[in-house]
Amino acid sequence: MWTDKQRGIRVSQQELLCKNACGYFGNPAWQGFCSKCWRERNRAAAAQRQDASPSNDGSPLTFSKFEEKKNTEKGRRINTMRRLFLGGPSPPKRQEPSESHANALKAYQSLEPGDFTGFLKLLRSPPSQRLQSRCTAFLNTMEAYHDLQVQKQSDLVQDFYQNIAEFFISLSEAQVSQIMEHIEKLIMTRLHKWVFCHDSCDDEQKDLALQRRIRSLNWVTPQMLSVPFPDKKTAVAGDPFLPAITAIIEMDAKRAPQDKLACVSKCSQHVFEALSTSNSEPANADDFLSGLIYVVLKANPPRLHSNMQYVIRFGLPHSLMAGESGYYFTNLSCAVAFIEKLDGPALNLSPEEFEGYMLRRRAPSAPTGKERQQIASDTQHLLEELKGRQEKLDQGMGALKVQLQQWVQAVQTQVDEATAQSALVQKEITAQTELSQSYSSSSDDAALQEDDVREQTVLVLRDQDDCPRDTDC
């Protein structure tokens, strides 16, 4: 796959494509096929093995028995998928209400790219109740049967993606891809702890073997890989591939396959940026692959094999078969395959030299006296630059501390003023309340006195009426 021509590790664009000539990117994990062709090939082989197997009673498999067995298997698969997607053994067919379905699709059309929070809100809305029920039922079923073989779990997840995509079949391809990325993130974030580095596969052992292999190749230099490095004037800032190394290490911390692919894309973009500072001409695909191999060797990412297999098994097919993410992931797979099969001729070394490096009998050539002086000068310049940055940072922190103290004092002053004003207002309210109560009490006394006078007047008049007219009362 790789040949020694001019410089770097050579790989043609044709070698990155599927062996089935379908136009999509292939992958060494799929023996050079794309995910679609690989799955179809495996299903055809499984069906052929099943058809060729003898019947239970030992009699030859006639055409009628073959048809009966085929129909039985088909019915079993349909019932299984119904249980997974609909949550029941064999529920009756119910058609989606057209108006509700149209409202749900209209809401998803207005969803912004990458807005996973907005997607979750839409998923909880009444028009999306059917879709939410299918996702919940599938998650509950997968968690209940997490002991299945990882390949069977992968097939179930891929079939689920395909069935869910039919819900949005009336939307454009770009919109469906965007929504399916949210579906994938929702599903795989929940299933990550069950399916990542599953017990039914040997991913953990392969992780350890790959880490040991990369650790044994820590003597490989950029010059051996023909990776163009920046000159001394631009190299004072350190290793230009450090951002790419950081990005590829971050992949293990992600859960969703698309987030892991995003780390691969970010790493690859940093590789192109590092190569652009090293060459006056734009970086080509050969330089990119060499740079990516160097990044993997220097980073030695944790659980690299498991992460790649996780993306392959449970990622969306369109993310791996085409586009920028598919191209970058295919190159990462090629880089890992190159590292696993790395030998002397690939590094322009004789078998004896390669064996000497692997057995630690040899070491890369040490720098000359002039190169040591240049390295010391560059290091001194870098230390001075870092010292200046630290001084500026200290000054900024001091200014920020003063501003914070002033702000605290201003806030305390405002609080004290507000407290004083509140006390005055409270006093005024208390005085007005007391005055109102006093006025109310005096009014009540006057009313009582007026009532007494009125009663006395009535009594006097009544006495006068009771006296005889000829009597002086």
Side-chain angles (χ1 to χ4, degrees), residues 236-252:
V236 295
D239 192 342
F241 293 94
L242 184 59
I245 294 173
T246 304
I248 196 66
I249 292 176
E250 290 176 353
M251 180 172 63
D252 187 57

Side-chain angles (χ1 to χ4, degrees), residues 103 132 180 372:
N103 292 335
Q132 183 184 10
M180 289 306 301
R372 291 196 193 95

Side-chain angles (χ1 to χ4, degrees), residues 406-443:
Q406 293 175 352
W407 178 77
V408 170
Q409 293 176 357
V411 171
Q412 186 64 40
T413 302
Q414 294 178 359
V415 170
D416 293 341
E417 293 177 354
T419 303
Q421 292 179 359
S422 177
L424 292 175
V425 171
Q426 187 67 29
K427 289 181 179 179
E428 292 179 359
I429 293 175
T430 304
Q432 290 179 358
T433 303
E434 292 176 353
L435 181 62
S436 176
Q437 293 177 352
S438 176
Y439 176 77
S440 176
S441 178
S442 60
S443 298

Side-chain angles (χ1 to χ4, degrees), residues 22 44 48 77-78 84 140 173 187-188 223 240 250 259 261 264 271 273 313 325 336 346 358 365 382:
C22 63
Q48 185 176 3
R77 287 199 301 266
I78 291 175
L84 292 175
N140 293 336
E173 185 177 353
I187 297 298
M188 297 315 303
Q223 292 75 21
E250 290 176 353
D259 293 336
L261 277 177
V264 176
V271 170
E273 292 175 1
R313 291 166 182 156
S325 60
V336 173
M358 293 296 292
S365 58
L382 179 60

Side-chain angles (χ1 to χ4, degrees), residues 261-273:
L261 277 177
C263 291
V264 176
S265 298
K266 184 179 178 181
C267 168
S268 302
Q269 291 168 1
H270 284 309
V271 170
F272 273 112
E273 292 175 1

